[in-house]
Amino acid sequence: GINAEYGDSFPISRSLGVDLQLSLITDPSPSRMEETSEMEFSGDESELEHEQSEVYSEIDTRCVRKSSVSNRSWTKTGIHDLPPEIVDKIFIYLDVRHLRSEVMLVSRYFLDILSSKEYWEIRLAAALRVSTTTHLKVCQTELDEMNRIGLERCVHALERAKSLSYTENCQTTKIDTSHYGDISEVKLLSHPLGHLAISGSRDHSIQVYDTSLLDKGPKEFWVASNNDHGGWVWTLDQENGPSSTRILSGSWDGNAFVFDLARGGQLTKVNEINVHSAVLCSRFERELAIYGTYSKLVVGYDLRQGGEAFRLKQHSKSVLSIATSEHFIWSTGDDQALSCYDRRAGRLFKRIKFNRGSMAIQYHAPYLWYAGIDGLMRCFNAEMKLVSKVDFSGGEPILDMRHGTGGTVVAFGGKVRLWAPTVNTTMWSEVDLGATSVDYRDGLIMAGGMGNCVNFYRHKGDLCSL
C-alpha cells in the first residue's frame, strides 16, 4: 500500500537504524548533557504517559508537540533515547517517502511518532514556512481537501512543489523531439505508467517519453511514436482507473483513438471512435470516453458496448474543455459559458455566462477549478457557487492549467507559474518554457508549445520516480 501511494523510488535499507544512530546523534558532551537534563519530562521508568492530541481547527505554524515520554537515562547514546520533539526535527530533513517506506519499519518508537496526526500537522506547518517571519496560511478549500486525502500525502505534495521555489537548485531540461510541428498537448502519466510522459502535436503524431531517463539524452529518452491520426492532435488523457495503461487521444481529423501502453510504453491501438467532428478536449473514465467537439457536443462513448452512452448539446459554439466527477459533467465553450450537467438527474444543472471564457477547467474533489482567459482562477463548490477568485497571470489569458494538492500550475504568454494553495497567494516558481500546454506532478513540470521541443523543470538531480 505504501509503494502504491508514494512510488517505488527508494530501495529498502535494512541498516537504516544503524545509519541514523551513527549520523544523527548530537554531541554527548557534559555541557550538552546539562542542557538536555533541564528539559521537563513526565512519567517514570516503568510507565509511559499517553496524552490525546487536540484536533486542530486550522494549521497553526506555532504548534508544539504535546506528547510525553518516559524519563530515560541520558547515559545512553541511541536515537531512540531522544524525546519525540528532537526526533521530529530530525525527521523534517527526511523525505516523506523515506519515512513511510523505511523509517516506520525501524522500530515501534518511530512507528508511533510517524502514525500520530500531530507530527504531520507540525510537518505541514514547516512546509508552509517561507522564512522565520513569514508563514503561509492554507485556504479553507485546500484544508478541507487535505483532511480528506490525508496529511501525509499533502505534506509530500507541498514539499515537492516548494522544492521548485529554490531556483538555484532547479534546472530546465529541453528535449528536441521527433515532432516537426508545434506541441499542443502534454501529459505526465500516473501509476502504473508513472515513469512515462506523452505529447501530441500539430504534425498529427503522438510521442512517448521515459522520464526516468531524462538525463540520458533524446535517444534513450524517446520510447515510441504513432502517426495514426490524420490531423492535429488536440487532446490526450489517461484512463481513470486502478492500474490502467490506456490513453485516449482526440484529433482534428474527427477521430478518437484508444491506445494501450502496457508493452513497454509502445502505442498499441485498441479502439477507434469515428466522431465525425474535430475532437478538442477529452476525459477518459473507466471504460467511458468523454469528449467535446467542434460541432458543439459533449459525447460519452461506452467502450464495452461499442456505442454512444449520451450526447449533450449545451453550447452554441465549439466545446473547449471538459471536467467530470461521479455526479457531474462540466464543460466550457467558445460561447464563454460554463455548463454543469447532472448525471443523476439527466439534465442541465446550471449554466454560467462569463465575459471571457476558459480553455482549461479541472475537477479536484471537492471543487471545480476554472482558469479564465481573463487571467483569473475561479473555484466553485458542488452547488456551483463561487468560493474564490485570484489573478494568476497578471490579466494574461491562461492557456492551460493543472491543479493538485501541492499547488496549481498555469501556462500563459509562454511562461509557467506554480502557485501555492494558500490564502496569502504565493508563487512557488515562475519559468519561461515557451508553453501553451503544461502538466505537473510530484515536483516535475512538463511543458510543450511553439517549436518541436518539450521542456522539463525539476529539482537538480531529481529523477522522476512517480
Side-chain angles (χ1 to χ4, degrees):
I2 292 173
N3 286 339
E5 183 174 343
Y6 294 94
D8 301 318
S9 57
F10 300 103
I12 300 295
S13 173
R14 298 301 181 186
S15 61
L16 182 61
V18 176
D19 293 340
L20 287 173
Q21 291 188 28
L22 291 177
S23 60
L24 299 178
I25 295 302
T26 55
D27 179 19
S29 61
S31 60
R32 182 65 178 169
M33 297 285 288
E34 292 176 2
E35 292 176 11
T36 55
S37 63
E38 294 177 0
M39 300 177 68
E40 294 184 3
F41 300 99
S42 59
D44 53 36
E45 294 288 347
S46 60
E47 295 182 355
L48 288 174
E49 179 185 17
H50 299 281
E51 297 180 0
Q52 300 294 330
S53 61
E54 299 178 357
V55 178
Y56 294 1
S57 59
E58 66 178 14
I59 302 301
D60 186 348
T61 57
R62 298 170 296 176
C63 59
V64 178
R65 190 172 184 83
K66 300 179 181 300
S67 299
S68 57
V69 69
S70 61
N71 188 9
R72 297 173 177 172
S73 171
W74 284 93
T75 60
K76 299 180 181 180
T77 58
I79 192 173
H80 294 87
D81 297 292
L82 295 174
E85 292 84 359
I86 301 290
V87 177
D88 285 350
K89 293 185 179 296
I90 294 172
F91 285 172
I92 285 291
Y93 295 94
L94 299 179
D95 185 84
V96 173
R97 288 178 293 189
H98 275 300
L99 296 176
R100 296 286 295 179
S101 64
E102 298 182 8
V103 178
M104 289 185 73
L105 307 178
V106 172
S107 67
R108 170 67 67 178
Y109 183 48
F110 289 173
L111 177 63
D112 290 342
I113 291 176
L114 296 174
S115 298
S116 66
K117 182 180 179 182
E118 64 180 357
Y119 168 75
W120 295 106
E121 288 175 335
I122 293 171
R123 180 118 181 191
L124 177 59
L128 296 173
R129 187 177 299 119
V130 178
S131 66
T132 55
T133 57
T134 305
H135 302 84
L136 304 181
K137 183 180 179 183
V138 178
C139 60
Q140 188 59 48
T141 58
E142 292 295 333
L143 189 56
D144 294 343
E145 197 173 301
M146 290 176 180
N147 288 325
R148 181 184 63 83
I149 69 175
L151 288 180
E152 296 96 328
R153 295 186 65 183
C154 297
V155 168
H156 173 72
L158 281 169
E159 290 178 348
R160 295 289 287 168
K162 187 179 179 181
S163 70
L164 298 182
S165 66
Y166 307 108
T167 55
E168 67 278 5
N169 295 323
C170 296
Q171 67 181 25
T172 300
T173 303
K174 184 178 181 180
I175 302 294
D176 291 324
T177 70
S178 60
H179 290 304
Y180 58 84
D182 295 340
I183 296 173
S184 53
E185 180 78 320
V186 294
K187 186 77 175 178
L188 291 166
L189 304 183
S190 57
H191 181 79
L193 304 174
H195 62 293
L196 298 180
I198 54 177
S199 63
S201 170
R202 293 190 182 190
D203 65 4
H204 311 174
S205 69
I206 300 171
Q207 300 286 325
V208 183
Y209 317 97
D210 188 339
T211 56
S212 65
L213 302 176
L214 196 55
D215 296 314
K216 302 295 183 181
K219 290 185 179 179
E220 291 80 8
F221 181 61
W222 297 332
V223 175
S225 64
N226 181 278
N227 295 280
D228 285 352
H229 279 296
W232 183 348
V233 179
W234 276 92
T235 178
L236 297 165
D237 197 31
Q238 184 179 6
E239 185 176 22
N240 181 22
S243 303
S244 177
T245 58
R246 300 191 298 179
I247 65 166
L248 174 69
S249 65
S251 169
W252 189 261
D253 64 3
N255 292 312
F257 295 155
V258 177
F259 295 96
D260 196 330
L261 279 70
R263 298 175 55 190
Q266 299 299 312
L267 289 158
T268 304
K269 186 165 65 174
V270 293
N271 285 96
E272 182 173 341
I273 307 170
N274 194 348
V275 182
H276 303 292
S277 178
V279 180
L280 306 183
C281 53
S282 64
R283 284 294 176 267
F284 197 2
E285 296 184 348
R286 193 65 171 170
E287 299 292 347
L288 182 67
I290 303 175
Y291 45 86
T293 71
Y294 183 78
S295 57
K296 315 167 192 176
L297 299 175
V298 175
V299 181
Y301 188 90
D302 191 324
L303 296 177
R304 287 195 179 114
Q305 300 294 329
E308 290 185 0
F310 56 82
R311 175 182 286 247
L312 312 174
K313 188 169 183 179
Q314 302 176 144
H315 296 277
S316 59
K317 294 185 178 181
S318 55
V319 180
L320 300 179
S321 185
I322 291 176
T324 65
S325 71
E326 182 182 0
H327 302 306
F328 297 99
I329 297 174
W330 297 271
S331 59
T332 64
D334 243 348
D335 55 1
Q336 287 81 51
L338 169 64
S339 295
C340 177
Y341 177 80
D342 191 327
R343 303 172 82 164
R344 295 167 295 182
R347 61 180 179 82
L348 181 68
F349 172 67
K350 195 167 185 178
R351 178 182 170 91
I352 303 174
K353 184 78 171 179
F354 295 93
N355 292 328
R356 303 182 71 181
S358 170
M359 298 181 67
I361 58 175
Q362 183 181 347
Y363 177 72
H364 193 85
Y367 301 102
L368 176 74
W369 299 86
Y370 177 100
I373 296 177
D374 56 5
L376 298 178
M377 181 68 71
R378 296 172 173 85
C379 175
F380 294 91
N381 62 16
E383 289 77 34
M384 291 297 291
K385 294 181 179 178
L386 186 64
V387 176
S388 63
K389 181 172 64 175
V390 182
D391 187 347
F392 269 26
S393 64
E396 292 194 48
I398 298 176
L399 304 178
D400 202 5
M401 171 270 297
R402 294 292 186 276
H403 174 78
T405 305
T408 304
V409 61
V410 295
F412 65 96
K415 296 180 180 179
V416 172
R417 283 181 180 174
L418 177 61
W419 291 88
T422 53
V423 173
N424 39 342
T425 307
T426 302
M427 185 170 57
W428 284 139
S429 61
E430 177 179 311
V431 58
D432 191 347
L433 300 177
T436 57
S437 178
V438 68
D439 201 3
Y440 168 79
R441 189 158 54 84
D442 199 24
L444 179 68
I445 294 175
M446 179 182 184
M450 304 297 290
N452 63 345
C453 299
V454 290
N455 291 283
F456 294 88
Y457 186 70
R458 58 188 172 139
H459 197 271
K460 287 180 180 178
D462 248 357
L463 292 180
C464 186
S465 49
L466 306 177

